[in-house]
Amino acid sequence: MPELPEVEAARRAVEENCLGKKIKRAIIADDSKVIEGVSSSEFESAVVGKTIVSAHRKGKNLWLQLDSPPFPSFQFGMAGAIYIKGVAVTKYKRSAAKDNDEWPSKYSKFFVELDDGVELSFTDKRRFARVRLLKDPTAVPPISELGPDALFEPMTVDEFTESLSKKKIAIKALLLDQSYISGIGNWIADEVLYQARIHPLQASSSLSKENCATLHKCIKEVIQYSVEVDADSCRFPNDWLFHFRWGKKSGKIKGKKIDFINAGGRTSAYVPELQKLSGTSASKAAGKPRKQASKRKGGKAKDSDEDEEGAGDEPTSEEEETTKIAKSRKGVDPKGRSKKPPVKRKNKESDDDGGDDGGKSDVSSESDDEDLKEKAGKVKTRTSNKQAKTAKTSSGQAASSQNGKKPKRAK
């Protein structure tokens, strides 16, 4: 998802290439999911002939100020991106356009051609972005509900420390809350917490003053550096977690294992060896594995990180072990006696007219193979008895025929 550095790079590109230029032509996509609250034709009519005066950003939102309202506003969503033909804006990791792609892209939602020939397009392949036409973007949601911008309106270290002391929520979830600080998304939150050596699930109010000061410093440094390089991830320092966090099989960073958990409703990358839970947060996390362990005898308890992660892409060794235990117990009742599948019991009850005691005796705990052999033997015995009975009846019929008497009908 584009975060503050990517959106700021887009704002600066617009500022450098589009200001003071008049919109000559506009093509707005007929997509009511992305283009919100206005038809494409109304949108086009409202911007054509207008001059772009400035470009603004707050958090992960961008809007163009024209010489008169209304103004185009862009909420980037999961994969929104600004492109200017012939200009390298930014190549966000998962939304970069290829050089040989059609122009404008088939995913373009907002396209304008300026009077000097410059062309700008806002694209969104996944359709989670929102493009609006607003009289005052700052006066209405989502921008009106945002907290201070992490780059333009940073808290002082004292303000940051005091605000954290009042928040019991996990620190990762708090950093993702755009009403608290706007602009920090998933990868930045993971990066600053890794660099500050703070666990994503650590309660915000439990952080020491030293922790708060370190985190404040990391947020400032990561955001400023990312913006300075126009969000070009190839220019991020090699020791940043960013380069190793993508996908659940990324392995290690500096020889230390990267793990993934759910924090703040998002998949979160962290390094357990360096980012450890402490205090009440650790106690709460430690309590969860014990509850799980009690549900399966002989199974190992998961550590706090595994417990938070939930089901992964592949089963862990412990999950495999649990599956094996479940399979070995299948078919055994609480008293340790083997249970026969319902279908087999039904067949047994229909076939055994008088060959057993009606199921009153205890069932043997021998292996399934021996049980099957026993059943096969009973079936064979019953078959032999029936054959013998049939043969006896046939002999009696034959003898009666020889004596000139009608054979009696078998009952």
Side-chain angles (χ1 to χ4, degrees), residues 19-159:
L19 297 194
K21 300 176 183 180
K22 185 176 291 188
I23 298 174
K24 177 182 176 182
R25 181 167 64 103
I27 302 174
I28 308 300
D30 184 15
D31 185 347
S32 59
K33 181 180 178 182
V34 177
I35 310 299
E36 192 173 274
V38 62
S39 70
S40 56
S41 59
E42 290 173 331
F43 204 131
E44 291 167 1
S45 299
V47 299
V48 171
K50 301 285 185 69
T51 299
I52 300 176
V53 176
S54 58
H56 301 275
R57 179 196 59 76
K58 185 163 187 178
K60 296 180 276 186
N61 293 264
L62 171 72
W63 67 97
L64 305 180
Q65 183 175 337
L66 308 181
D67 52 5
S68 64
F71 307 138
S73 175
F74 308 90
Q75 186 176 359
F76 281 54
M78 293 294 289
I82 288 282
Y83 296 102
I84 299 174
K85 190 174 184 180
V87 177
V89 178
T90 181
K91 291 190 174 181
Y92 178 62
K93 186 172 182 71
R94 288 191 264 189
S95 63
K98 297 178 181 178
D99 294 335
N100 58 353
D101 283 349
E102 62 179 321
W103 179 266
S105 165
K106 64 181 179 180
Y107 302 113
S108 176
K109 306 301 177 182
F110 172 94
F111 169 84
V112 293
E113 179 185 356
L114 306 182
D115 55 4
D116 67 342
V118 170
E119 296 178 354
L120 177 148
S121 174
F122 177 83
T123 67
D124 179 30
K125 183 176 182 178
R126 299 185 64 183
R127 301 177 69 221
F128 287 111
R130 295 293 179 267
V131 179
R132 304 176 177 93
L133 191 63
L134 303 171
K135 183 177 180 180
D136 182 4
T138 63
V140 294
I143 297 174
S144 65
E145 297 175 342
L146 297 176
D149 185 82
L151 178 66
F152 294 147
E153 307 163 306
M155 298 183 201
T156 65
V157 65
D158 290 336
E159 290 171 341

Side-chain angles (χ1 to χ4, degrees), residues 212-369:
C212 294
T214 301
L215 181 57
H216 182 271
K217 177 174 176 284
C218 291
I219 292 173
K220 180 180 178 181
E221 291 179 348
V222 167
I223 288 178
Q224 286 186 347
Y225 190 93
S226 301
V227 169
E228 285 173 8
V229 299
D230 293 326
D232 183 354
S233 60
C234 295
R235 297 163 66 188
F236 290 173
N238 293 330
D239 61 350
W240 276 19
L241 181 66
F242 180 94
H243 299 293
F244 306 90
R245 72 178 302 281
W246 307 100
K248 290 198 171 184
K249 296 181 180 179
S250 50
K252 299 180 178 180
I253 178 171
K254 293 184 177 181
K256 302 185 187 303
K257 181 186 175 185
I258 298 172
D259 206 350
F260 296 86
I261 57 174
N262 185 296
R266 301 293 301 278
T267 298
S268 306
Y270 81 115
V271 180
E273 191 174 339
L274 301 177
Q275 297 168 262
K276 298 180 180 180
L277 281 171
S278 62
T280 305
S281 300
S283 301
K284 287 180 180 179
K288 293 180 181 179
R290 285 196 294 270
K291 187 180 291 185
Q292 287 193 353
S294 65
K295 292 180 181 179
R296 56 178 188 269
K297 296 178 181 178
K300 301 188 294 184
K302 293 181 180 180
D303 60 40
S304 60
D305 300 323
E306 288 174 330
D307 181 65
E308 292 295 335
E309 182 178 359
D313 292 335
E314 296 180 356
T316 63
S317 58
E318 184 178 347
E319 289 170 339
E320 291 170 351
E321 180 184 348
T322 304
T323 303
K324 288 178 183 177
I325 293 172
K327 286 182 178 179
S328 67
R329 291 182 178 179
K330 188 176 181 180
V332 179
D333 70 11
K335 296 181 180 179
R337 299 179 299 194
S338 95
K339 292 181 179 178
K340 297 175 184 176
V343 175
K344 291 184 178 180
R345 277 204 306 271
K346 184 176 181 180
N347 292 340
K348 186 176 186 297
E349 289 167 1
S350 61
D351 290 339
D352 292 358
D353 295 327
D356 61 21
D357 59 0
K360 294 179 182 178
S361 62
D362 289 342
V363 181
S364 172
S365 60
E366 295 176 356
S367 67
D368 290 341
D369 290 340

Side-chain angles (χ1 to χ4, degrees), residues 393-403 407:
T393 303
S394 300
S395 299
Q397 290 175 347
S400 300
S401 298
Q402 291 175 359
N403 295 331

